[in-house]
């Protein structure tokens, strides 16, 4: 798989998330997917994302930086949203906040098998 092919697959994955097109998620995420070394599988991964959208109704994934080096993707995602209640242990309570996520993905056979994610919690704290 070329760098361009993998980047295109990733962009399709982000479009799937933003559309909340959960039936298509299996096109991008492996049945044995892990998130920060926690085995979730496709069902658990989907449940995590669905909960994210319940907690953050205006959630939208914005690609700011994308690097492809098969079988890996590195991405900086930007968010401008209003999480409900407590978010990452912080009392956001619907306030609009901007923050980034630095995330690395490992792909196998064109699907995500591993995700390593770090959210810039300090950026959120500075806005509260």
């Amino acid at each position: 798989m070329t760098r361009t092919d993998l980047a295109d697959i990733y962009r399709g994955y982000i479009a799937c998330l933003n559309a909340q097109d959960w039936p298509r998620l299996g096109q991008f995420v492996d049945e044995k997917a892990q998130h920060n070394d926690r085995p979730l599988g496709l069902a658990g991964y989907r449940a995590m994302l669905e909960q994210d959208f319940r907690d953050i109704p205006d959630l939208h994934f914005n690609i700011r930086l994308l690097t492809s080096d098969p079988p890996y993707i590195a991405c900086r995602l930007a968010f401008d949203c209003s999480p409900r209640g407590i978010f990452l242990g912080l009392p956001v309570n619907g306030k609009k906040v901007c923050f980034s996520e630095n995330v690395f993905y490992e792909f196998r056979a064109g699907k995500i098998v591993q995700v390593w994610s770090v959210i810039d919690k300090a950026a959120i704290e500075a806005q509260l």
Side-chain angles (χ1 to χ4, degrees), residues 34-55:
Q34 295 188 30
H35 183 269
N36 288 340
D37 295 322
R38 292 177 314 158
L40 296 178
L42 176 58
Y45 196 91
R46 176 178 172 167
M48 175 186 70
L49 289 165
E50 288 175 333
Q51 185 63 51
D52 289 344
F53 277 93
R54 280 191 296 277
D55 293 343

Side-chain angles (χ1 to χ4, degrees), residues 77-83 87 92 95-101 119-128:
L77 295 166
F79 301 94
D80 183 3
C81 56
S82 307
F87 177 63
V92 178
K95 181 177 178 171
K96 184 77 106 173
V97 291
C98 299
F99 61 94
S100 295
E101 175 184 16
I119 293 175
D120 186 357
K121 186 176 176 181
I124 299 168
E125 290 172 326
Q127 297 169 67
L128 297 180

Side-chain angles (χ1 to χ4, degrees), residues 2 6 12 15 19 21 24 26 42 44 47 50 55 58 60 66-67 71 75-76 86 93 106 115 117 123:
T2 69
L6 189 56
D21 188 356
R24 274 193 43 213
L42 176 58
E50 288 175 333
D55 293 343
D58 60 347
H60 187 84
L66 176 62
T67 301
C75 188
R76 182 168 176 86
I86 304 297
N93 299 321
E106 180 181 357
V115 179
S117 165

Side-chain angles (χ1 to χ4, degrees), residues 98-111:
C98 299
F99 61 94
S100 295
E101 175 184 16
N102 296 314
V103 61
F104 297 87
Y105 302 83
E106 180 181 357
F107 284 75
R108 192 172 307 131
K111 293 186 178 186

Side-chain angles (χ1 to χ4, degrees), residues 4-73:
T4 302
D5 292 340
L6 189 56
D8 288 345
I9 290 170
Y10 182 74
R11 286 185 184 94
Y13 163 73
I14 293 297
C16 175
L17 298 186
N18 286 331
Q20 297 180 56
D21 188 356
W22 308 130
R24 274 193 43 213
L25 190 62
Q27 178 182 335
F28 304 100
V29 178
D30 190 80
E31 287 290 337
K32 296 182 180 178
Q34 295 188 30
H35 183 269
N36 288 340
D37 295 322
R38 292 177 314 158
L40 296 178
L42 176 58
Y45 196 91
R46 176 178 172 167
M48 175 186 70
L49 289 165
E50 288 175 333
Q51 185 63 51
D52 289 344
F53 277 93
R54 280 191 296 277
D55 293 343
I56 312 168
D58 60 347
L59 181 62
H60 187 84
F61 293 75
N62 299 293
I63 298 171
R64 290 293 181 246
L65 178 64
L66 176 62
T67 301
S68 175
D69 187 14
Y72 300 102
I73 288 280

